Amino acid sequence: MIDWIRVRELREEIGADAFEEVLDLFLEEVETALAVLRTATTEDDLEAQLHFLKGSALNLGFETLANLCADGEAKSGAGARDSVDIPRIVSGYEASKAAFLAGIAEGIAA
C-alpha cells in the first residue's frame, strides 16, 4: 500500500521539517483534488485530476492510490469515463492515508 522506501528517500532528501510541510501540503491538495474528481464533468477533467493524483501519490509513496489513479486515468483517456470507480479511488486514498499516518507514528519512515 505504501512504498516506505520511497518515503524514507524523500524524507532524507528534503529533511524532516520539510517532509512535514510536504506531507501537510500533499494531504490538503489530494483532498481538494478528490473533491474536484467527484464533480469532474468531462473526460479531460477526470483524466487531468487522476493524472495529478497519480503523480502526487507516487511522489509520497502512496503506491495503491497511484495504481488506482493510473487505472482510472487510462480508462478516462480511452473514453470510458463511466467505468472509473471514483468511490474506490477515494476509499483507496483513505486506507492509504490511515496506513501512512500509522506508519509515520510508528517511526517506519524515520
Side-chain angles (χ1 to χ4, degrees):
M1 179 163 281
I2 303 296
D3 178 355
W4 290 109
I5 293 171
R6 173 63 192 135
V7 175
R8 284 188 289 277
E9 287 173 350
L10 178 62
R11 188 175 179 147
E12 288 173 13
E13 287 172 12
I14 65 175
D17 290 338
F19 181 79
E20 295 286 331
E21 291 176 29
V22 167
L23 175 59
D24 289 342
L25 182 61
F26 167 79
L27 295 174
E28 182 180 316
E29 287 182 347
V30 168
E31 291 184 20
T32 299
L34 288 172
V36 171
L37 187 68
R38 291 181 184 109
T39 61
T41 56
T42 68
E43 282 156 359
D44 288 342
D45 291 342
L46 182 62
E47 186 177 1
Q49 286 303 314
L50 290 167
H51 181 77
F52 168 76
L53 286 168
K54 177 186 72 178
S56 296
L58 285 171
N59 190 43
L60 210 58
F62 279 55
E63 195 169 81
T64 297
L65 177 61
N67 291 336
L68 291 169
C69 291
D71 180 62
E73 181 184 12
K75 288 176 180 174
S76 183
R81 181 189 195 289
D82 293 338
S83 68
V84 177
D85 191 346
I86 294 172
R88 185 170 178 225
I89 293 168
V90 172
S91 66
Y93 165 69
E94 293 295 336
S96 295
K97 178 182 171 184
F100 185 87
L101 294 176
I104 293 294
E106 293 174 14
I108 293 174

